[in-house]
Amino acid sequence: MTERFRRHLLLISAGLLAALVFWIDSIAEYNSAISILYLAVLVLVSAAGSGNVVVRAARVCVVLTILAWAVVHLHQPSVASALRCLSACMAISVTAALLLSRKRLEATKQDLGSSRSEVELFANSVPFVLWRSNPRGEIEYLNESWTTVTGLDRWTVLEGQRYNEVVHPDDMAVLVETVTTAVANRTMTDLKVRVRQADGSYRWMQIYDRPALSPLTGQVERYGGLSDVHDEVVAKEELQQLRKELEASNERLEQRVNERTTELMRTERRYSGLFDVSNMTFAEMDFSAAEAILDQIKSRGVTDLRSYMTAHPEEFARALSAIQTTRVNDALARMMGYESVSELVASPTAQFAEDGPEVLLRQLEMYFYGVDHIDGRTVLAGKDGRRIPVYSTATRLPDGLHLSSYVNLSDQERIEEMRQAAQAELARANRVATVGAFSASIAHELNQPITSMLMDAQTGLRLVARGSPEIETLTRILQRVAKTAQRVAAIVQRTRDNIVAGRRAVKAIDIRRLASDTRDLLDQDLKRADVELEILCEEAVPMIKGDPVELQQVFVNLVNNATDAMRDQPDTRRITLAIAAEEVAVRVRVTDTGPGIPDEHIEKLFEPFFTTKATGIGMGLQICRSAVEAMGGQLTVTNLASGGACFSFDLPLALKEPA
């Protein structure tokens, strides 16, 4: 049965009972009023309805009582019946009042229970530990946050008054003394202690409680709370530590500032002494006013100061006039021929140098572009037209100051003039030496073919002197003479070409064939020296780019040098000329089985006039290196691990001409 149905049933029952009482009361004549039964109707209505419903029911019952009296007694009224009717109405009214009071009392109890539940819910919802203690200081209430924070059951703690167990031992004495004093004096408690947490760690928490008069007991009770202030306490401790460190740091900084100030004062005194007494030349200029002008120019969007100043000479003149010379030393005044510093400072700043405006423009650019240092050469304009070449440096200082220093280059210029004269004389001597070296080079290159021609001519003469010379042998000798003569002519022509128009144009060369011709050319010399010349070359080696006369001369010089190196060697004497094709070049290697090159000679081997031969002039290898370099290669030399020396170089491949 639902509550609503029950109420409706009670109200219906009350209505039926009221009707029954009215019917009986309106037809019966009893000495005691039947209307007293309306009290039961009010009880039923009170159990089902609100106070307003009870009031309305009471009014209805009163009306029904009066109406029933009128029906029964109005034709013959009596005092007794009227008093009974009045008594019934008063009973109904008193009963209604009592029922209303009961209703209000129940509502008050219900509200009180709701308030108590709400207060309990509020107390258990806040993230703080709350409590209430009696006048003796014993805690009688703890909210659920106590269990959450400490991990201890609040009812067990309250039963045994064990709340002090969670306080850090070091804080217990202070807590007991503070709480005892506060309870005795009825004062507030405000204290920070360390409280053990549910995980066993200790955190700083603030205890706060105050006395209050209980409206129920009339005694002084204490209400308090416990809040977590660990982060605040730790932060304060760190702040205090930081403050101590900061104070110590400030003391050190103040000490350092004092030391630095003293040092700066000493430095300033030294600087002043250096500036005024030193033989070094210094000038200090104030550019602060000119820098303000430059700031205005930059604010207009100008990025090229030099072009702007060229286009606006009046602005440039205004900036120059804003520059002031604040300080110069005696050394600068003496160098420029002035008798005193004041006489020099009185001159316009831009007239200090022959290109003074240009020098000052460069210093203006220092500030405009954020550069701190510039240097360069200039000529100072001294007194009475004195001209002093100097090397100047300018450094930007704070507060718009520029410090310039000047080094007198007069002596250096005189030395430079003498050096140039000596260099010209040396060049003339070098030209003379070059002519001599070139003559030695020609003599070196022509010596071998002329010797070969001479030997072939002598051999031919001996054959003719026999009376019946072998024509074929004599023909071969004459052919060698002719070929050697052509080679001499080619050397002479190449030398002439080098003198008149530089080296001849390179062309494609069959290097395999050129190596073979070289072996034929040197065949007699190799046989007399008992030296074997082996040519290692692929059949289809590509054409290379170079000068055939110079390349053959390189082959001849390298083979002759290897032959000379093995001349006193008793065992095998072999020279290998290896030619191998690579991707973009042909590698040439000339090796021998001689003793190799001493380490102290290998670095000087290609220097002009360096030779280890008693009759040599030291030009052969230098000529070979120059020829190889002219053809795009690099001649190098190394000693072989097995003995002997190896000369090697690469020559570029000849490009195929388009069809």
Side-chain angles (χ1 to χ4, degrees):
M1 180 184 296
T2 63
E3 182 66 21
R4 184 176 182 183
F5 179 74
R6 186 185 69 81
R7 290 180 178 181
H8 284 134
L9 183 59
L10 290 175
L11 291 175
I12 293 172
S13 300
L16 292 175
L17 180 60
L20 178 62
V21 172
F22 174 75
W23 178 70
I24 295 173
D25 193 22
S26 63
I27 64 174
E29 295 184 6
Y30 294 100
N31 291 329
S32 59
I34 300 299
S35 57
I36 198 69
L37 296 176
Y38 283 119
L39 299 180
V41 174
L42 294 178
V43 172
L44 292 175
V45 172
S46 175
S50 62
N52 293 331
V53 175
V54 172
V55 172
R56 289 195 295 270
R59 291 174 182 173
V60 171
C61 290
V62 171
V63 172
L64 290 177
T65 301
I66 296 172
L67 184 59
W69 178 84
V71 170
V72 176
H73 300 285
L74 187 60
H75 64 283
Q76 190 179 358
S78 63
V79 175
S81 62
L83 290 175
R84 286 195 298 270
C85 179
L86 180 60
S87 298
C89 290
M90 292 179 62
I92 292 172
S93 299
V94 171
T95 301
L98 292 175
L99 291 174
L100 286 175
S101 298
R102 182 181 178 184
K103 281 282 186 182
R104 293 191 184 96
L105 181 59
E106 290 178 352
T108 301
K109 289 182 178 180
Q110 186 176 1
D111 291 342
L112 182 59
S114 299
S115 299
R116 183 175 297 173
S117 299
E118 185 175 354
V119 171
E120 182 73 16
L121 177 61
F122 173 78
N124 292 328
S125 299
V126 296
F128 308 107
V129 176
L130 301 178
W131 67 74
R132 184 187 73 253
S133 62
N134 57 28
R136 296 185 302 276
E138 298 174 349
I139 295 179
E140 296 180 342
Y141 171 79
L142 285 170
N143 66 345
E144 292 181 355
S145 295
W146 171 270
T147 303
T148 303
V149 172
T150 65
L152 301 179
D153 181 64
R154 57 174 175 160
W155 305 115
T156 304
V157 171
L158 289 174
E159 182 180 357
Q161 294 292 303
R162 298 166 47 196
Y163 36 80
N164 284 344
E165 293 181 359
V166 298
V167 179
H168 196 282
D170 295 343
D171 301 332
M172 182 63 69
V174 177
L175 174 62
V176 172
E177 181 182 358
T178 303
V179 172
T180 302
T181 303
V183 171
N185 299 331
R186 295 185 179 183
T187 57
M188 293 187 302
T189 302
D190 190 357
L191 180 66
K192 295 182 179 67
V193 297
R194 285 164 287 183
V195 176
R196 187 176 67 241
Q197 307 295 297
D199 59 358
S201 63
Y202 282 91
R203 291 182 66 85
W204 284 100
M205 306 194 80
Q206 184 173 22
I207 296 176
Y208 175 83
D209 73 344
R210 57 177 299 173
L213 185 62
S214 174
L216 299 178
T217 64
Q219 296 180 337
V220 177
E221 297 181 346
R222 303 186 69 87
Y223 297 87
L226 190 66
S227 60
D228 191 324
V229 293
H230 184 79
D231 294 338
E232 178 184 351
V233 173
V234 172
K236 287 183 178 179
E237 291 177 352
E238 292 178 352
L239 183 60
Q240 291 176 356
Q241 181 64 26
L242 182 61
R243 185 180 292 112
K244 292 179 181 178
E245 294 178 357
L246 184 60
E247 291 175 355
S249 178
N250 288 338
E251 292 178 359
R252 292 194 298 269
L253 180 60
E254 184 176 357
Q255 181 181 1
R256 181 60 180 165
V257 168
N258 294 334
E259 293 175 355
R260 184 60 177 167
T261 302
T262 304
E263 182 180 351
L264 287 175
M265 293 177 64
R266 290 197 298 266
T267 302
E268 175 64 21
R269 289 193 294 269
R270 290 196 299 268
Y271 168 73
S272 299
L274 176 66
F275 195 96
D276 295 330
V277 181
S278 173
N279 289 328
M280 299 179 64
T281 58
F282 293 106
E284 186 181 79
M285 299 181 183
D286 186 357
F287 278 72
S288 56
E291 289 176 357
I293 298 175
L294 295 182
D295 290 336
Q296 297 175 2
I297 295 175
K298 186 178 290 187
S299 65
R300 301 170 195 159
V302 176
T303 57
D304 189 343
L305 180 63
R306 184 174 292 272
S307 299
Y308 179 83
M309 290 302 188
T310 302
H312 301 81
E314 71 286 351
E315 195 81 3
F316 185 36
R318 187 164 72 96
L320 293 183
S321 63
I323 302 172
Q324 300 294 326
T325 301
T326 57
R327 193 176 182 185
V328 297
N329 64 348
D330 291 333
L332 180 59
R334 291 194 302 270
M335 185 177 70
M336 298 182 68
Y338 292 97
E339 296 180 359
S340 64
V341 171
S342 58
E343 185 181 3
L344 172 59
V345 174
S347 303
T349 303
Q351 297 180 8
F352 277 2
E354 290 184 354
D355 56 345
E358 170 63 23
V359 174
L360 295 178
L361 177 58
R362 291 189 62 200
Q363 291 186 250
L364 291 174
E365 288 178 326
M366 288 174 61
Y367 174 77
F368 194 82
Y369 298 118
V371 180
D372 295 329
H373 178 83
I374 61 171
D375 54 21
R377 296 171 66 95
T378 186
V379 177
L380 296 182
K383 187 178 180 180
D384 300 330
R386 179 177 298 184
R387 185 177 178 276
I388 308 102
V390 296
Y391 179 80
S392 66
T393 62
T395 302
R396 193 155 59 94
L397 304 176
D399 301 326
L401 297 178
H402 287 203
L403 180 65
S404 301
S405 62
Y406 307 93
V407 178
N408 193 339
L409 301 180
S410 299
D411 294 338
Q412 285 85 338
E413 286 201 352
R414 287 193 294 270
I415 294 173
E416 178 64 17
E417 292 175 357
M418 296 174 60
R419 188 191 67 80
Q420 291 179 358
Q423 189 174 11
E425 181 63 23
L426 181 61
R428 187 187 67 79
N430 284 340
R431 287 194 295 271
V432 174
T434 301
V435 172
F438 202 68
S439 300
S441 172
I442 296 174
H444 181 277
E445 292 196 29
L446 292 179
N447 180 58
Q448 192 276 334
I450 291 175
T451 302
S452 178
M453 289 174 59
L454 180 60
M455 295 180 63
D456 286 336
Q458 292 175 349
T459 302
L461 289 175
R462 285 197 298 271
L463 290 176
V464 172
R466 293 178 181 176
S468 58
E470 298 179 3
I471 300 302
E472 294 182 0
T473 303
L474 188 59
T475 301
R476 286 197 302 272
I477 292 174
L478 292 177
Q479 288 175 348
R480 281 202 305 272
V481 171
K483 185 178 293 186
T484 305
Q486 292 175 359
R487 182 162 168 259
V488 170
I491 292 173
V492 173
Q493 182 62 35
R494 187 199 62 190
T495 303
R496 178 182 179 279
D497 292 342
N498 287 343
I499 295 175
V500 175
R503 294 187 180 273
R504 297 188 305 174
V506 297
K507 62 181 181 179
I509 303 173
D510 184 352
I511 191 170
R512 184 172 182 273
R513 181 175 179 181
L514 185 65
S516 179
D517 291 344
T518 303
R519 181 173 58 183
D520 294 342
L521 180 66
L522 300 176
D523 182 62
Q524 295 297 323
D525 295 339
L526 294 173
K527 288 181 178 179
R528 282 192 294 270
D530 193 18
V531 174
E532 177 186 355
L533 176 58
E534 180 182 12
I535 297 178
L536 301 178
C537 182
E538 301 174 357
E539 291 291 338
V541 66
M543 304 284 280
I544 59 99
K545 181 174 63 176
D547 185 341
V549 176
E550 288 191 349
L551 184 55
Q552 187 176 55
Q553 187 63 29
V554 171
F555 286 161
V556 170
N557 281 340
L558 294 180
V559 171
N560 284 340
N561 286 346
T563 301
D564 293 340
M566 297 184 295
R567 192 170 300 278
D568 298 329
Q569 187 169 302
D571 51 358
T572 303
R573 305 171 185 175
R574 179 183 298 106
I575 301 173
T576 302
L577 177 57
I579 302 172
E582 297 183 351
E583 292 184 2
V584 295
V586 170
R587 168 64 60 89
V588 178
R589 298 175 75 250
V590 179
T591 60
D592 59 60
T593 58
I597 302 170
D599 293 337
E600 63 272 15
H601 295 162
I602 200 166
E603 295 294 333
K604 304 177 182 179
L605 207 58
F606 295 102
E607 294 180 2
F609 308 111
F610 176 78
T611 181
T612 58
K613 302 177 183 179
T615 58
I617 60 174
M619 290 299 297
L621 289 178
Q622 201 278 334
I623 293 172
C624 290
R625 168 168 279 189
S626 298
V628 171
E629 289 177 351
M631 289 182 282
Q634 180 67 38
L635 180 61
T636 60
V637 60
T638 57
N639 283 321
L640 300 176
S642 58
C646 173
F647 289 84
S648 62
F649 56 90
D650 294 340
L651 294 177
L653 300 180
L655 298 178
K656 295 183 179 180
E657 296 183 358

